Amino acid sequence: MPVYLAPWRASPRAFQSSRSESMPNLASDGVVCAPLQTFTEEETMLKNMVTKFAQERVAPLVQKMDENSKMEDSVIQGLFEQGLMSIELGEEYGGTGASFFSIILVVEELAKVDPAVSLLCELQNTLTNKLFTTYGTEEQKRTYLPRVAKDTIGSFCLSEAGSGSDAFALKTRAEKRGDYYVINGSKMWISLAEHAGVFFVMANTDPSLGYRGITCFIVDRDTEGLHVGKKEDKLGIRASSTCPVTFENVKVPETNILGQVGQGYKYAIGMLNTGRIGIAAQMLGLAQGCFDHTIPYTKERVQFGKSIFDFQGMQHQIAQVATQLEAARLLTYNAARLAETGRPFIKEASMAKYYAAEVATLTTSKCIEWMGGVGFTKNYPIEKYYRDCKIGTIYEGTSNIQLSTIAKSLAKEY
């Protein structure tokens, strides 16, 4: 009889996350396994600072930025001034020198107030800075890292009209001519393009090799032939720009190749895996912010002689959402801690992003219902959270892509 059909027999395989991992000399070393929501003193201080910044500098401008589809310059400047655009960068480059987990806490806190602002911070830290520090040459680091820490926004150019989830079907080409390359093509759905000062452009240097010809180029905004198009009129995260970017005979010196020729696809995969934890934090913060706005209202709103919070039917719904929020937080924090300590985290990152996006969708929808008519109006921020959350199931890998990634990991484990 096949092993998998044998009744009451322990499985020879085990779900990876269910496997315990011993810590040598745990008792003798006096090491305590802290809960996931235990932060270092530095992380706690940063979290509190960001909460204050978001309430004082961002909150008063959220409605205006959403209506105008434009990020206020004062908000961008504030993020740089507070060191929130260079959280993990070393102090030698003008960065804060904090942990990766700190990025996740910052993104979560900002998203409670405005998910669009948190996206700017998330992409700068998990994509722009990470690409330079991981794959950049010493010369590229000296040139660009002080800039992205001080006042320069980066933008990642991967998606095209015909390559969304099938990202490596991109058509943008880079032709070698002597000691430089000429890039031609167009990109779509490029986040932060409106304000970006430097672009990471994925282009194929040898189409005959397929995705193994994809190479990452560093292109400055003022390079001749680079054009940023009209920004999209979006459903949500409207203050964060999303634009098409075209390249017409854009000359890029060979020294502006990031990493190695033909390795761009690997860099994209690696960065998006980490970035997914950041998007999970964004969705988590968004959902928590919406929940925090709504529950006090349910305790104040009186119908049939008592607050609507006091009806058991409401309490059960609220308790269910609160439980799911906590589960999303633990998934996100766990993935972040795994990544921070250099342990495998791809499956956990996909789980966190997938689940946090689902929870954000449920939470914001329920909050509108609990608020009733006022939740459906723009006089309250609830409907904005509802609009903002939808992108969580789409960018940096759709929910179906996350499920496929999780399933591939499971197939290897069993």
Side-chain angles (χ1 to χ4, degrees):
M1 178 183 292
V3 171
Y4 62 84
L5 290 180
W8 303 105
R9 180 179 292 181
S11 171
R13 305 291 177 87
F15 183 52
Q16 189 173 7
S17 294
S18 69
R19 298 175 189 162
S20 59
E21 185 170 307
S22 63
M23 295 180 66
N25 304 317
L26 181 63
S28 60
D29 289 347
V31 177
V32 177
C33 293
L36 279 171
Q37 296 196 56
T38 302
F39 310 139
T40 66
E41 185 177 352
E42 291 77 11
E43 289 167 348
T44 301
M45 289 175 62
L46 182 61
K47 183 176 185 291
N48 293 338
M49 181 273 284
V50 174
T51 301
K52 187 172 185 290
F53 170 81
Q55 289 297 332
E56 295 179 357
R57 302 278 295 275
V58 179
L61 301 171
V62 171
Q63 187 173 16
K64 177 184 176 182
M65 293 192 296
D66 181 62
E67 291 174 352
N68 296 339
S69 295
K70 183 174 177 59
M71 188 82 68
E72 287 291 316
D73 291 339
S74 63
V75 171
I76 298 174
Q77 183 181 350
L79 290 172
F80 278 110
E81 288 175 351
Q82 299 295 323
L84 302 180
M85 299 291 269
S86 54
I87 296 169
E88 217 179 352
L89 285 186
E91 294 180 4
E92 67 272 24
Y93 298 116
T96 306
S99 63
F100 174 73
F101 191 80
S102 295
I103 297 173
I104 300 309
L105 290 178
V106 169
V107 170
E108 180 186 356
E109 289 305 308
L110 289 174
K112 290 177 182 178
V113 175
D114 192 350
V117 174
S118 78
L119 178 65
L120 170 57
C121 175
E122 192 273 333
L123 292 176
Q124 184 84 350
N125 283 283
T126 67
L127 281 179
T128 295
N129 299 348
K130 206 84 169 175
L131 279 166
F132 279 130
T133 57
T134 306
Y135 304 111
T137 63
E138 288 306 313
E139 179 61 29
Q140 289 168 349
K141 291 176 183 178
R142 284 195 299 269
T143 301
Y144 289 100
L145 287 180
R147 288 173 53 189
V148 297
K150 182 181 179 183
D151 57 14
T152 301
I153 294 171
S155 184
F156 187 64
C157 299
L158 177 62
S159 296
E160 298 180 5
S163 58
S165 290
D166 185 12
F168 300 145
L170 59 85
K171 301 297 183 184
T172 298
R173 300 290 180 253
E175 182 184 349
K176 192 173 187 341
R177 297 182 187 175
D179 60 354
Y180 64 90
Y181 285 79
V182 176
I183 300 177
N184 282 284
S186 59
K187 301 290 183 178
M188 286 190 71
W189 319 118
I190 305 306
S191 298
L192 313 183
E194 181 181 28
H195 292 100
V198 62
F199 295 83
F200 297 97
V201 183
M202 292 294 178
N204 203 317
T205 57
D206 188 351
S208 67
L209 297 176
Y211 68 87
R212 294 184 185 277
I214 296 174
T215 303
C216 184
F217 294 87
I218 304 168
V219 185
D220 290 306
R221 186 187 184 93
D222 58 4
T223 305
E224 186 177 356
L226 187 157
H227 304 284
V228 177
K230 181 182 178 183
K231 61 186 175 185
E232 304 291 345
D233 186 11
K234 305 194 300 288
L235 170 73
I237 56 166
R238 291 171 56 81
S240 174
S241 65
T242 304
C243 311
V245 181
T246 58
F247 304 87
E248 299 177 12
N249 296 318
V250 174
K251 292 176 63 175
V252 182
E254 197 171 15
T255 53
N256 273 35
I257 290 176
L258 186 74
Q260 299 178 353
V261 173
Q263 297 295 299
Y265 73 99
K266 290 184 180 179
Y267 306 157
I269 291 172
M271 292 301 103
L272 291 175
N273 283 334
T274 306
R276 284 166 183 166
I277 308 175
I279 299 303
Q282 182 201 28
M283 291 296 110
L284 169 62
L286 182 162
Q288 189 67 62
C290 188
F291 191 79
D292 292 346
H293 271 286
T294 304
I295 301 309
Y297 178 86
T298 67
K299 299 183 76 174
E300 295 171 3
R301 172 70 168 168
V302 175
Q303 291 287 277
F304 304 102
K306 60 180 179 179
S307 73
I308 59 175
F309 181 89
D310 288 333
F311 287 92
Q312 189 182 62
M314 281 287 291
Q315 290 177 345
H316 287 183
Q317 292 180 56
I318 291 169
Q320 182 181 32
V321 169
T323 301
Q324 291 173 325
L325 278 170
E326 191 68 5
R329 178 170 290 106
L330 296 176
L331 278 170
T332 303
Y333 286 8
N334 182 56
R337 291 297 192 196
L338 287 173
E340 187 174 70
T341 54
R343 292 172 60 187
F345 66 90
I346 292 174
K347 179 184 72 179
E348 288 77 9
S350 286
M351 285 179 166
K353 181 187 182 292
Y354 164 73
Y355 190 70
E358 293 295 308
V359 169
T361 302
L362 171 70
T363 301
T364 55
S365 178
K366 282 295 183 183
C367 284
I368 288 178
E369 292 178 23
W370 299 338
M371 293 279 285
V374 295
F376 199 67
T377 70
K378 291 185 179 292
N379 295 327
Y380 289 79
I382 310 305
E383 61 85 29
K384 179 182 179 297
Y385 288 115
Y386 183 71
R387 288 185 287 110
D388 286 349
C389 81
K390 192 60 216 171
I391 192 62
T393 64
I394 301 171
Y395 63 8
E396 296 210 27
T398 65
S399 287
N400 281 336
I401 290 294
Q402 305 313 315
L403 292 172
S404 293
T405 300
I406 295 164
K408 287 176 184 177
S409 295
L410 293 174
K412 293 176 182 177
E413 291 171 17
Y414 286 89

